[in-house]
Amino acid sequence: MTQVTDHGGGVRSIRVPIPDNPLGTTLVHLVDTDLGPVLIDTGWDDPASWDALAAGLTACGVSVAEVHGVVITHHHPDHHGLSGKVREASGAWIAMHALDTAIVRRTRENRADRWFSYMADKLASSGAPEEHVALLREARTARLSTGLPAFAPALPDREIVPGELLDLAGRRLRAIWTPGHTPGHVCLHLEESHPAALPGNGRLFSGDHLLPRITPHIGLYEDPDDATVADPLGDYLDALERVGRLNPAEVLPAHQHAFTDAPGRVRELLAHHEERLTGLLALLSTPLTSWQLAERMEWNRPWDQIPFTSRNIAVSEAEAHVRRLVKLGRAEAVTGSDPVTYVAL
């Protein structure tokens, strides 16, 4: 597979591997500016990933040391993981939306035992069986006993402000807030004519918000000290419609490949989530916990073949969908249930 793709108009993408992940690679985009190259995302923090990023930059005629800035679509490690190393090698600035920067800050500051305790309580309240929660407690004990250092992703030094042009000399790159996959996920609209004169409005670096063949995970990233009940699926669907109305000539996502017809892909994703919500309503004819919902939902493999970490993600996705149903008045939590169960209205 070709490591570097030239998309024309001073935009290229570099395939950076993600270790032990079915996604395979992150597409790190390189944008030429009058002050030097700027990266959109950086890839996973792994030696092989770093080597691939450096080799890709060399193939583009630049070095890591020449990188002027790093724009992060969202905080996930396959996007933000190598940002710190790029900054150390080049002095580049790192920009991220404030809501995802807050998550990075919490990740850096929270003690490992506090995070594990919060996740164990969260899973228990979602109806996870004790044998599943026990695995998390065992991981907490093992981590504390070995004294492993806390995960410390790079803290950004610039804020991406939705609606505003980023400070990229000679380019018009506007931030669009697209929450759902993460609270501070942003797409980046390159407000310049398409180099191949494709019809539409410029090009869109879509991160994980809009992918050609994958439905992005809808995540819950709640502050343990904040009791606000978020509706990430509702946020995601609203942002999808905004991106569809933008009608970019071409979408440059962070995974898979570039594609056209963003409005068509948006319609597919909206239909997918409506179908999933309808299916959940049928399941909720009797009260179920988020865990029980996740067990009954359709995934890319049977539930008994889904590994531990992926089950946690699936339960988060189930809860995001049931929260949407509650917000729409189509379901409600059963009063006094512990763990919490939901039922269709």
Side-chain angles (χ1 to χ4, degrees):
M1 184 178 294
T2 303
Q3 184 185 14
V4 174
T5 301
D6 190 342
H7 299 281
V11 175
R12 287 154 288 184
S13 60
I14 302 168
R15 293 186 177 274
V16 176
I18 310 171
D20 302 317
N21 190 294
L23 278 175
T25 60
T26 299
L27 295 176
V28 173
H29 292 97
L30 176 67
V31 179
D32 294 335
T33 80
D34 291 346
L35 293 179
V38 169
L39 296 179
I40 297 178
D41 294 332
T42 57
W44 193 279
D45 186 4
D46 177 81
S49 305
W50 174 255
D51 290 346
L53 177 62
L57 288 170
T58 298
C60 292
V62 299
S63 68
V64 176
E66 295 175 84
V67 173
H68 174 62
V70 175
V71 182
I72 299 299
T73 60
H74 62 293
H75 72 85
H76 285 167
D78 56 324
H79 297 257
H80 182 45
L82 286 172
S83 301
K85 288 187 176 179
V86 171
R87 182 165 59 189
E88 289 173 7
S90 64
W93 46 262
I94 301 173
M96 184 183 287
H97 188 283
L99 290 178
D100 270 24
T101 296
I103 294 172
V104 170
R105 185 172 287 109
R106 287 204 307 271
T107 301
R108 293 171 59 90
E109 295 175 354
N110 282 349
R111 302 189 315 274
D113 60 333
R114 185 169 185 265
W115 183 87
F116 278 108
S117 297
Y118 169 74
M119 287 300 299
D121 292 345
K122 182 73 175 172
L123 284 167
S125 69
S126 298
E130 175 54 33
E131 58 266 26
H132 183 90
V133 180
L135 291 173
L136 195 65
R137 296 195 181 103
E138 291 169 8
R140 170 185 179 273
T141 300
R143 184 182 181 107
L144 295 177
S145 65
T146 56
L148 291 175
F151 178 53
L155 192 64
D157 40 60
R158 290 192 181 186
E159 180 180 342
I160 296 175
V161 180
E164 293 190 1
L165 290 171
L166 277 74
D167 184 18
L168 303 185
R171 309 304 300 242
R172 289 186 60 84
L173 189 66
R174 192 177 302 276
I176 303 172
W177 183 38
T178 49
H181 185 60
T182 71
H185 189 291
V186 293
C187 292
L188 302 153
H189 185 209
L190 191 60
E191 298 179 341
E192 301 170 12
S193 298
H194 192 280
L198 295 181
N201 300 315
R203 290 183 279 182
L204 185 74
F205 298 100
S206 64
D208 281 2
H209 180 71
L210 194 62
L211 301 170
R213 299 194 309 273
I214 299 174
T215 303
H217 167 65
I218 307 302
L220 296 173
Y221 295 93
E222 295 168 317
D223 185 342
D225 298 322
D226 187 347
T228 302
V229 179
D231 176 22
L233 179 56
D235 293 338
Y236 176 72
L237 298 176
D238 289 345
L240 266 183
E241 292 184 343
R242 292 199 306 274
V243 166
R245 290 191 296 269
L246 184 65
N247 191 26
E250 187 176 27
V251 180
L252 303 175
H255 302 289
Q256 299 186 317
H257 56 79
F259 62 100
T260 57
D261 191 19
R265 182 58 180 147
V266 165
R267 288 192 296 271
E268 291 175 353
L269 289 168
L270 291 172
H272 163 79
H273 284 288
E274 184 56 38
E275 181 180 350
R276 174 155 276 193
L277 290 171
T278 300
L280 289 184
L281 277 177
L283 292 173
L284 290 173
S285 58
T286 57
L288 295 173
T289 65
S290 297
W291 180 276
Q292 291 169 329
L293 273 175
E295 288 180 311
R296 291 159 172 79
M297 291 168 69
E298 290 189 13
W299 307 103
N300 60 0
R301 70 190 90 174
W303 183 257
D304 60 5
Q305 296 178 21
I306 296 178
F308 173 83
T309 301
S310 296
R311 287 189 178 192
N312 296 340
I313 294 172
V315 173
S316 172
E317 180 103 5
E319 185 168 340
H321 278 76
V322 79
R323 286 189 187 187
R324 185 64 190 152
L325 291 172
V326 171
K327 186 76 175 283
L328 293 171
R330 298 161 73 181
E332 67 178 2
V334 176
T335 303
S337 57
D338 184 19
V340 179
T341 58
Y342 298 90
V343 66
L345 293 176

